[in-house]
PDB file of all heavy atoms in Angstrom:
ATOM      1  N   ILE I  39     176.832 203.090  33.830  1.00 39.00           N
ATOM      2  CA  ILE I  39     177.034 202.677  35.209  1.00 39.00           C
ATOM      3  C   ILE I  39     177.730 203.765  36.024  1.00 39.00           C
ATOM      4  O   ILE I  39     177.337 204.117  37.118  1.00 39.00           O
ATOM      5  CB  ILE I  39     177.848 201.367  35.256  1.00 39.00           C
ATOM      6  CG1 ILE I  39     177.068 200.260  34.519  1.00 39.00           C
ATOM      7  CG2 ILE I  39     178.153 200.961  36.688  1.00 39.00           C
ATOM      8  CD1 ILE I  39     177.849 198.971  34.389  1.00 39.00           C
ATOM      9  N   ARG I 129     160.986 213.301  24.881  1.00 94.00           N
ATOM     10  CA  ARG I 129     160.302 214.294  25.688  1.00 94.00           C
ATOM     11  C   ARG I 129     161.248 214.854  26.748  1.00 94.00           C
ATOM     12  O   ARG I 129     162.252 214.244  27.093  1.00 94.00           O
ATOM     13  CB  ARG I 129     159.033 213.740  26.315  1.00 94.00           C
ATOM     14  CG  ARG I 129     159.240 212.767  27.435  1.00 94.00           C
ATOM     15  CD  ARG I 129     157.907 212.441  28.143  1.00 94.00           C
ATOM     16  NE  ARG I 129     157.076 211.523  27.392  1.00 94.00           N
ATOM     17  CZ  ARG I 129     155.870 211.818  26.946  1.00 94.00           C
ATOM     18  NH1 ARG I 129     155.358 213.014  27.142  1.00 94.00           N
ATOM     19  NH2 ARG I 129     155.161 210.923  26.307  1.00 94.00           N
ATOM     20  N   GLU I 163     165.477 227.417  42.465  1.00 84.00           N
ATOM     21  CA  GLU I 163     166.501 228.115  41.692  1.00 84.00           C
ATOM     22  C   GLU I 163     167.229 227.176  40.755  1.00 84.00           C
ATOM     23  O   GLU I 163     167.583 227.536  39.634  1.00 84.00           O
ATOM     24  CB  GLU I 163     167.496 228.792  42.633  1.00 84.00           C
ATOM     25  CG  GLU I 163     168.634 229.497  41.913  1.00 84.00           C
ATOM     26  CD  GLU I 163     169.613 230.111  42.879  1.00 84.00           C
ATOM     27  OE1 GLU I 163     169.179 230.665  43.907  1.00 84.00           O
ATOM     28  OE2 GLU I 163     170.830 230.038  42.614  1.00 84.00           O
ATOM     29  N   HIS I 170     164.076 212.226  27.824  1.00 93.00           N
ATOM     30  CA  HIS I 170     163.624 210.837  27.857  1.00 93.00           C
ATOM     31  C   HIS I 170     163.438 210.304  26.438  1.00 93.00           C
ATOM     32  O   HIS I 170     162.918 211.003  25.561  1.00 93.00           O
ATOM     33  CB  HIS I 170     162.269 210.719  28.581  1.00 93.00           C
ATOM     34  CG  HIS I 170     162.262 211.288  29.961  1.00 93.00           C
ATOM     35  ND1 HIS I 170     162.430 210.520  31.084  1.00 93.00           N
ATOM     36  CD2 HIS I 170     162.093 212.576  30.398  1.00 93.00           C
ATOM     37  CE1 HIS I 170     162.370 211.301  32.158  1.00 93.00           C
ATOM     38  NE2 HIS I 170     162.163 212.545  31.762  1.00 93.00           N
ATOM     39  N   GLY I 345     171.550 189.701  -1.647  1.00 94.00           N
ATOM     40  CA  GLY I 345     171.324 188.267  -1.800  1.00 94.00           C
ATOM     41  C   GLY I 345     172.343 187.462  -1.016  1.00 94.00           C
ATOM     42  O   GLY I 345     172.570 187.689   0.173  1.00 94.00           O
ATOM     43  N   GLY I 351     181.386 193.416   5.313  1.00 94.00           N
ATOM     44  CA  GLY I 351     182.399 193.939   4.411  1.00 94.00           C
ATOM     45  C   GLY I 351     181.881 194.203   3.019  1.00 94.00           C
ATOM     46  O   GLY I 351     182.660 194.620   2.145  1.00 94.00           O
ATOM     47  N   GLY I 445     183.597 213.227 -10.178  1.00 96.00           N
ATOM     48  CA  GLY I 445     183.931 214.140 -11.243  1.00 96.00           C
ATOM     49  C   GLY I 445     183.103 214.084 -12.501  1.00 96.00           C
ATOM     50  O   GLY I 445     183.219 214.978 -13.352  1.00 96.00           O
ATOM     51  N   TYR I 520     161.601 192.847 -24.231  1.00 98.00           N
ATOM     52  CA  TYR I 520     161.432 191.672 -25.095  1.00 98.00           C
ATOM     53  C   TYR I 520     161.368 192.088 -26.573  1.00 98.00           C
ATOM     54  O   TYR I 520     161.987 191.463 -27.439  1.00 98.00           O
ATOM     55  CB  TYR I 520     160.155 190.910 -24.725  1.00 98.00           C
ATOM     56  CG  TYR I 520     160.053 190.495 -23.273  1.00 98.00           C
ATOM     57  CD1 TYR I 520     158.815 190.463 -22.615  1.00 98.00           C
ATOM     58  CD2 TYR I 520     161.193 190.145 -22.538  1.00 98.00           C
ATOM     59  CE1 TYR I 520     158.701 190.087 -21.293  1.00 98.00           C
ATOM     60  CE2 TYR I 520     161.088 189.770 -21.201  1.00 98.00           C
ATOM     61  CZ  TYR I 520     159.847 189.756 -20.578  1.00 98.00           C
ATOM     62  OH  TYR I 520     159.746 189.383 -19.269  1.00 98.00           O
ATOM     63  N   ASN I 549     166.094 176.141  -2.553  1.00 96.00           N
ATOM     64  CA  ASN I 549     166.611 175.483  -3.748  1.00 96.00           C
ATOM     65  C   ASN I 549     167.206 176.474  -4.746  1.00 96.00           C
ATOM     66  O   ASN I 549     167.976 176.097  -5.638  1.00 96.00           O
ATOM     67  CB  ASN I 549     165.494 174.672  -4.416  1.00 96.00           C
ATOM     68  CG  ASN I 549     166.026 173.725  -5.473  1.00 96.00           C
ATOM     69  OD1 ASN I 549     167.056 173.086  -5.284  1.00 96.00           O
ATOM     70  ND2 ASN I 549     165.317 173.631  -6.602  1.00 96.00           N
ATOM     71  N   TYR I 676     184.272 235.022  14.714  1.00 95.00           N
ATOM     72  CA  TYR I 676     183.588 233.724  14.742  1.00 95.00           C
ATOM     73  C   TYR I 676     182.920 233.552  13.394  1.00 95.00           C
ATOM     74  O   TYR I 676     182.111 234.385  12.967  1.00 95.00           O
ATOM     75  CB  TYR I 676     182.560 233.719  15.874  1.00 95.00           C
ATOM     76  CG  TYR I 676     181.812 232.429  16.083  1.00 95.00           C
ATOM     77  CD1 TYR I 676     182.438 231.197  15.974  1.00 95.00           C
ATOM     78  CD2 TYR I 676     180.461 232.452  16.425  1.00 95.00           C
ATOM     79  CE1 TYR I 676     181.744 230.027  16.176  1.00 95.00           C
ATOM     80  CE2 TYR I 676     179.747 231.282  16.644  1.00 95.00           C
ATOM     81  CZ  TYR I 676     180.390 230.063  16.512  1.00 95.00           C
ATOM     82  OH  TYR I 676     179.706 228.901  16.717  1.00 95.00           O
ATOM     83  N   THR I 836     194.713 231.057  24.439  1.00 96.00           N
ATOM     84  CA  THR I 836     195.908 231.446  25.207  1.00 96.00           C
ATOM     85  C   THR I 836     197.178 231.189  24.409  1.00 96.00           C
ATOM     86  O   THR I 836     198.051 232.054  24.299  1.00 96.00           O
ATOM     87  CB  THR I 836     195.954 230.686  26.541  1.00 96.00           C
ATOM     88  OG1 THR I 836     194.811 231.023  27.325  1.00 96.00           O
ATOM     89  CG2 THR I 836     197.224 231.031  27.315  1.00 96.00           C
TER      90      THR I 836
END
Side-chain angles (χ1 to χ4, degrees):
I39 299 174
R129 72 171 77 241
E163 177 182 320
H170 305 263
Y520 305 146
N549 193 41
Y676 183 40
T836 298

